[in-house]
């Protein structure tokens, strides 16, 4: 199951979560959220925040099965 806070976010957003799991294949978590049908404006754009980095003695574990996505994420 996804963590409780993500399930609460999905439920609050009127979406739903589907879990698929197969022995030897792994688990897939799909989060479905409703489509936004209104136009977004510049005023609604969120502030760009800095990407957090590991502090001294910390390690960030990146888990991604797609090599290109993993390589891009690690190089951010």
């Amino acid at each position: 199951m996804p963590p409780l806070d993500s399930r609460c976010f999905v439920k609050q957003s009127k979406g739903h979560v589907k879990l698929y799991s197969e022995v030897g294949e792994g688990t897939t978590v799909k989060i479905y959220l409703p489509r936004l049908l209104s136009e977004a404006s510049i005023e609604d754009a969120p502030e760009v925040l800095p990407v957090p980095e590991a502090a001294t003695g910390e390690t960030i574990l990146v888990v991604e099965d797609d090599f290109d996505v993993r390589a891009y994420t690690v190089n951010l």
Side-chain angles (χ1 to χ4, degrees):
M1 274 256 167
L4 182 59
D5 57 344
S6 63
R7 289 189 316 227
C8 292
F9 168 76
V10 171
K11 186 173 182 178
Q12 174 185 349
S13 301
K14 303 206 180 345
H16 62 278
V17 176
K18 293 220 176 191
L19 296 172
Y20 304 91
S21 187
E22 293 185 35
V23 176
E25 294 295 322
T27 301
T28 300
V29 179
K30 292 187 176 186
I31 299 175
Y32 295 89
L33 299 172
R35 177 184 286 179
L36 177 64
L37 298 175
S38 66
E39 295 282 330
S41 68
I42 293 296
E43 292 93 30
D44 295 338
E47 176 186 345
V48 176
L49 300 175
V51 176
E53 295 185 15
T56 304
E58 292 182 332
T59 301
I60 298 174
L61 174 65
V62 177
V63 179
E64 172 57 55
D65 61 350
D66 183 296
F67 175 80
D68 292 331
V69 173
R70 184 175 58 247
Y72 177 79
T73 303
V74 169
N75 290 319
L76 281 179

